[in-house]
Amino acid sequence: MSGAALGLEIVFVFFLALFLLHRYGDFKKQHRLVIIATLLAWYLCFLIVFILPLDVSTTIYNRCKLAVNSSPAESNGSYVTLAPSKQKCFKPWSYIPDGIMPIFWRVVYWTSQFLTWILLPFMQSYARSGGFSITGKIKTALIENAIYYGTYLLIFGAFLIYVAVNPNFNLQWNQLQTIGIAAANTWGLFLLVLLLGYGLVEIPRSHWNGAKRGYLLMKTYFKAAKLMTEKADAEENLEDIMEEVRKVSESIKYNHPLRKCVDTILKKCPTEYQERMGRNMDDYEDFDERQNSYPSEKSLAKLHKQVIYSVQRHRRTQVQWQILLEQAFYLEDVAKNESSATRQFVHTFHSQEPENKIIQYFYTPTVEWYWECLLRPWFYRVLAVVLATFSVIVVWSECTFFSTKPVLSLFAVFIQLAERTYNYIYIEMACFLTIFFLSICVYSTVFRIRVFNYYYLASHHQTDAYSLLFSGMLFCRLTPPLCLNFLGLTHMDATISHKNTQPTAYTSIMGSMRVLSFIADGFYIYYPMLVVILCIATYFSLGTRCLNLLGFQQFMGDSEMTSDLIDEGKELIRREKRKRQRQEEGENRRREWKERYGNRDDSTRSRAVHTDQKESSFSETNASRPLSKYTRSNGRTERDRIELLQDAEPLDFNADSVNDDPLESDSGRYQPGGRYLSMSRSKIFDDV
């Protein structure tokens, strides 16, 4: 099993990152380089979280071996036995051989740092650029990142000059590398504590409120009102941008040098706007014939950027509106079914997507009623209590992990108790649950926060390329300090425990933080205590109240604005519900009509075909008879011809268009183009 656990986790984490990226990104429409860069960033960060518990268990076993080698002992197979106490150091099932983990962490860490500080910022500017060529986009990205990169180079250059001039400093390359790592981790830890303080309170509270059906329904109404405003704003913005595109398309003709740029912009527009603009184009006119002021390539690039943004925003609001409607309808169904005597869940509308037969077989209406109306609220309450307990343990440990005598950090107590008995399964499970909970609190906040329309992760493939790349940057900057904070909570970091023991492989690549003592002994230890203040502020919703005062509507139960938005959203949902009910009633009526009269129409059609065949056969047999016997029939044919000619209207042979619709041509009605298609000479005298 040596190394097998490492390989399994590497494969599992890859598919986990791929699944999450597929949920938020769009593999078909977004650029492949954006997908690959974001996937790599997410994958490396998730990999660090999942592999670190294996590093901890391997380090504990290596410490045991060092202790055995420093005392009289004898080797026995897969473990080492101490002579005095007969203590055994069992090799863990997930043991990773020496030399693999340092190389692995070095590759993962420096790759993630290259992504977050160099590649992803450049790709962000490249993705938002409105250039029409690769060279133009690269040029724009370099210009936008010149200030960003220049600031870091200026600070680093000033520091190097200060070190070179001052004789008291004698720094080696490893120490410079450690200073760079410490600077990056300091920035990440500053943001980490802010996100962690919000997640430790909001995640248990959201699950507790998830058990309240009335609360969820009111919040859904509130979201509907806000989303409708955003949806209307997106539609209005798209209309304005499309009007500018139309004017540019009409002014720049087919032989203008910038026409290729206009065609590129038109391809990014929605289909209905492309067709509308295509009908109004006069490409036969040369651009030299009109002395107009034409836009420059720079202004077209800016317009191209606006088109990409407005189309993406419009599409996202449309999809989110449909998802929110489904959620509101479902919550209303749950509220109605709670008082059902039959204990079977009844949906107002059938699902538009085909359901899985296996799920449909097991998840029956009765099972759905018991889960949604009885079990699910209690499940969410129990889960909220468990998560709140974890949050209290994390807050306590963050405030006391610097104390080594006595050990006050509960996570360190759990790991040290398991280390005495060398229970590696328990050690790995405890480490995994701890770091997994910390990661959920931090990463879920990254997925929830929204910085206006600048950064927003929207599910159902509605996240733009810029937000995906920005999330990859945040993950790569937050994960290393998160892991160091976890090792400090468990006292596996020698800087915290103040013990001369073998460090973990992950800590060894970070270098000794003693180079910067004010960071190692000050900022890293006392700054995480700020999480207590942030948790209190989140519990009392101070940030939400401040945003509400600034004019950004937030869901608050005691606010008059919130009540108005809830009423507005409730009316919007009711209106959409009536509209969908009318659509379903119309479809049901058409289905019933087809089922009731479909066979009759088929029999009528077959009867008409049979009559035509009999008439044609009758005419063929009568054609061989002498002409003298046709006196009466010829008279009737003449009368029919006269009646048909009386009904016919004069023909317009100057008509420009001919209607090719077979349904309209057989109806025998006069066409707007001036032709009477059904009364042609060939059809009038077919029986003659």
Side-chain angles (χ1 to χ4, degrees):
M1 293 297 292
S2 178
L6 179 63
L8 290 175
E9 292 198 1
I10 288 175
V11 175
F12 172 76
V13 172
F14 174 77
F15 285 104
L16 176 62
L18 187 65
F19 169 76
L20 290 176
L21 184 58
H22 177 264
R23 177 177 174 81
Y24 288 90
D26 193 346
F27 291 171
K28 296 181 180 179
K29 296 182 180 180
Q30 288 171 342
H31 200 280
R32 293 182 180 179
L33 292 179
V34 174
I35 297 296
I36 293 174
T38 308
L39 177 62
L40 183 60
W42 289 16
Y43 173 60
L44 293 178
C45 296
F46 296 163
L47 194 62
I48 294 175
V49 172
F50 277 81
I51 301 299
L52 194 59
L54 304 184
D55 190 9
V56 172
S57 62
T58 302
T59 302
I60 291 176
Y61 174 71
N62 291 333
R63 289 177 181 178
C64 180
K65 287 197 304 181
L66 290 176
V68 168
N69 293 332
S70 62
S71 61
E74 56 183 3
S75 178
N76 185 11
S78 62
Y79 58 88
V80 181
T81 306
L82 287 175
S85 60
K86 304 295 182 182
Q87 187 178 5
K88 300 178 181 179
C89 294
F90 289 96
K91 182 183 293 185
W93 70 279
S94 58
Y95 176 74
I96 300 174
D98 296 337
I100 294 180
M101 289 306 298
I103 298 175
F104 176 81
W105 287 129
R106 192 171 288 110
V107 171
V108 170
Y109 178 78
W110 288 112
T111 303
S112 64
Q113 295 304 302
F114 173 77
L115 288 174
T116 187
W117 295 105
I118 298 178
L119 183 61
L120 292 182
F122 176 81
M123 292 189 66
Q124 274 187 302
S125 302
Y126 184 90
R128 287 181 70 94
S129 174
F132 300 100
S133 62
I134 297 177
T135 305
K137 290 185 176 182
I138 293 176
K139 181 180 178 181
T140 304
L142 289 176
I143 293 175
E144 290 183 358
N145 286 273
I147 300 176
Y148 177 78
Y149 294 129
T151 304
Y152 287 108
L153 290 176
L154 182 63
I155 296 174
F156 187 71
F159 177 76
L160 289 180
I161 294 174
Y162 176 76
V163 170
V165 173
N166 195 338
N168 296 326
F169 287 95
N170 186 16
L171 297 179
Q172 304 296 327
W173 168 251
N174 292 335
Q175 294 176 337
L176 290 176
Q177 178 180 332
T178 302
I179 292 174
I181 294 174
N185 290 336
T186 302
W187 188 96
L189 185 62
F190 177 79
L191 183 60
L192 173 70
V193 173
L194 298 177
L195 300 179
L196 185 62
Y198 176 83
L200 288 173
V201 176
E202 191 60 30
I203 290 180
R205 182 163 59 185
S206 63
H207 285 80
W208 181 265
N209 292 330
K212 304 175 183 178
R213 295 299 180 189
Y215 176 87
L216 289 180
L217 192 57
M218 294 299 105
K219 192 171 184 179
T220 304
Y221 291 151
F222 177 83
K223 290 181 180 179
K226 289 189 63 176
L227 186 58
M228 176 54 73
T229 304
E230 183 182 358
K231 181 170 169 286
D233 185 34
E235 292 175 353
E236 183 179 354
N237 184 30
L238 182 63
E239 288 287 345
D240 295 339
I241 297 298
M242 291 300 105
E243 181 64 21
E244 294 183 14
V245 174
R246 184 191 63 80
K247 293 179 181 179
V248 170
S249 178
E250 291 179 354
S251 62
I252 298 180
K253 300 304 178 181
Y254 69 98
N255 55 349
H256 195 280
L258 296 178
R259 184 62 199 184
K260 294 182 179 180
C261 301
V262 177
D263 293 337
T264 303
I265 295 175
L266 290 175
K267 291 179 182 179
K268 303 295 177 61
C269 299
T271 307
E272 59 270 17
Y273 290 99
Q274 292 183 22
E275 296 175 353
R276 192 184 308 170
M277 296 175 191
R279 289 194 297 266
N280 298 329
M281 288 177 60
D282 296 331
D283 281 347
Y284 58 84
E285 299 179 3
D286 294 337
F287 73 94
D288 303 296
E289 296 179 0
R290 296 182 179 180
Q291 301 298 326
N292 295 333
S293 59
Y294 298 103
S296 62
E297 185 175 358
K298 186 176 181 180
S299 62
L300 289 179
K302 182 179 179 181
L303 181 61
H304 186 204
K305 182 178 179 179
Q306 293 175 349
V307 167
I308 295 174
Y309 169 74
S310 60
V311 171
Q312 170 68 25
R313 185 187 176 195
H314 178 262
R315 187 187 304 116
R316 187 190 69 218
T317 53
Q318 295 290 335
V319 174
Q320 288 180 333
W321 176 250
Q322 296 300 325
I323 295 172
L324 190 62
L325 287 180
E326 296 293 335
Q327 183 181 358
F329 294 156
Y330 190 76
L331 290 175
E332 289 179 348
D333 291 341
V334 172
K336 292 179 181 178
N337 284 274
E338 285 181 349
S339 58
S340 175
T342 59
R343 296 194 174 185
Q344 287 190 349
F345 200 91
V346 179
H347 294 269
T348 304
F349 304 107
H350 296 288
S351 178
Q352 298 179 356
E353 299 180 357
E355 297 182 356
N356 192 350
K357 293 183 178 180
I358 299 177
I359 297 177
Q360 192 174 4
Y361 177 77
F362 290 101
Y363 197 62
T364 60
T366 304
V367 176
E368 186 176 4
W369 186 89
Y370 276 99
W371 167 250
E372 292 292 342
C373 300
L374 290 181
L375 299 179
R376 187 172 183 175
W378 286 104
F379 174 77
Y380 270 69
R381 291 189 184 98
V382 173
L383 183 60
V385 172
V386 174
L387 293 175
T389 305
F390 264 96
S391 297
V392 172
I393 294 175
V394 169
V395 172
W396 171 262
S397 300
E398 290 285 358
C399 297
T400 59
F401 74 92
F402 59 89
S403 176
T404 56
K405 294 181 181 180
V407 178
L408 298 178
S409 174
L410 297 180
F411 294 118
V413 172
F414 297 153
I415 298 301
Q416 290 178 4
L417 289 176
E419 186 178 359
R420 295 175 184 175
T421 59
Y422 298 99
N423 190 347
Y424 297 108
I425 299 294
Y426 175 81
I427 292 174
E428 292 175 3
M429 290 300 299
C431 291
F432 175 76
L433 290 177
T434 303
I435 194 171
F436 184 74
F437 180 73
L438 294 174
S439 303
I440 290 296
C441 293
V442 175
Y443 293 162
S444 64
T445 309
V446 174
F447 280 99
R448 288 186 181 187
I449 60 175
R450 176 177 180 177
V451 184
F452 302 104
N453 290 315
Y454 178 78
Y455 168 75
Y456 181 38
L457 288 177
S459 58
H460 297 84
H461 322 291
Q462 299 304 313
T463 306
D464 59 345
Y466 187 87
S467 297
L468 287 177
L469 294 171
F470 191 77
S471 66
M473 289 174 53
L474 287 179
F475 285 158
C476 291
R477 296 182 186 183
L478 290 172
T479 304
L482 174 66
C483 295
L484 286 178
N485 182 254
F486 160 75
L487 294 175
L489 293 177
T490 56
H491 287 188
M492 294 298 296
D493 189 357
T495 306
I496 304 299
S497 61
H498 303 288
K499 294 181 180 179
N500 190 15
T501 57
Q502 182 181 1
T504 60
Y506 184 82
T507 309
S508 63
I509 69 162
M510 295 293 177
S512 177
M513 297 300 171
R514 295 300 177 186
V515 179
L516 301 174
S517 59
F518 66 94
I519 294 180
D521 298 333
F523 185 78
Y524 280 177
I525 292 178
Y526 298 106
Y527 179 72
M529 296 182 185
L530 187 63
V531 74
V532 179
I533 301 176
L534 295 172
C535 287
I536 295 174
T538 306
Y539 180 79
F540 290 103
S541 303
L542 296 182
T544 303
R545 297 179 187 276
C546 291
L547 290 175
N548 203 25
L549 291 175
L550 293 175
F552 301 98
Q553 290 84 8
Q554 303 294 319
F555 184 77
M556 298 178 61
D558 55 351
S559 174
E560 184 179 356
M561 180 65 70
T562 301
S563 302
D564 295 339
L565 289 176
I566 288 175
D567 295 338
E568 180 183 350
K570 191 174 184 179
E571 182 62 30
L572 291 172
I573 297 298
R574 187 183 295 113
R575 189 184 308 165
E576 293 291 335
K577 193 172 186 178
R578 287 198 301 265
K579 185 188 300 183
R580 184 169 295 187
Q581 286 175 347
R582 288 195 298 268
Q583 292 177 356
E584 287 198 352
E585 289 174 359
E587 292 177 359
N588 292 333
R589 284 196 299 267
R590 286 192 294 269
R591 192 182 302 111
E592 291 177 359
W593 177 271
K594 190 176 295 184
E595 292 175 356
R596 182 178 301 177
Y597 299 104
N599 297 330
R600 186 177 301 179
D601 294 341
D602 295 338
S603 62
T604 305
R605 191 178 299 108
S606 63
R607 210 165 35 240
V609 172
H610 183 63
T611 304
D612 293 340
Q613 292 177 353
K614 289 178 66 178
E615 291 180 355
S616 61
S617 62
F618 178 76
S619 61
E620 290 176 359
T621 55
N622 290 338
S624 60
R625 296 184 181 182
L627 188 60
S628 60
K629 297 181 180 180
Y630 259 97
T631 308
R632 184 173 300 177
S633 63
N634 283 339
R636 195 163 88 187
T637 305
E638 187 69 18
R639 287 196 303 270
D640 295 339
R641 190 192 327 174
I642 292 172
E643 291 175 0
L644 291 173
L645 290 175
Q646 288 176 352
D647 293 335
E649 295 185 16
L651 300 176
D652 183 10
F653 294 98
N654 296 325
D656 296 331
S657 62
V658 177
N659 191 354
D660 296 330
D661 194 348
L663 296 177
E664 296 182 0
S665 62
D666 292 338
S667 62
R669 296 181 179 178
Y670 179 71
Q671 303 297 326
R675 293 177 181 263
Y676 203 97
L677 297 177
S678 64
M679 292 304 172
S680 63
R681 293 177 179 267
S682 60
K683 289 187 178 182
I684 294 176
F685 301 105
D686 280 345
D687 295 335
V688 179

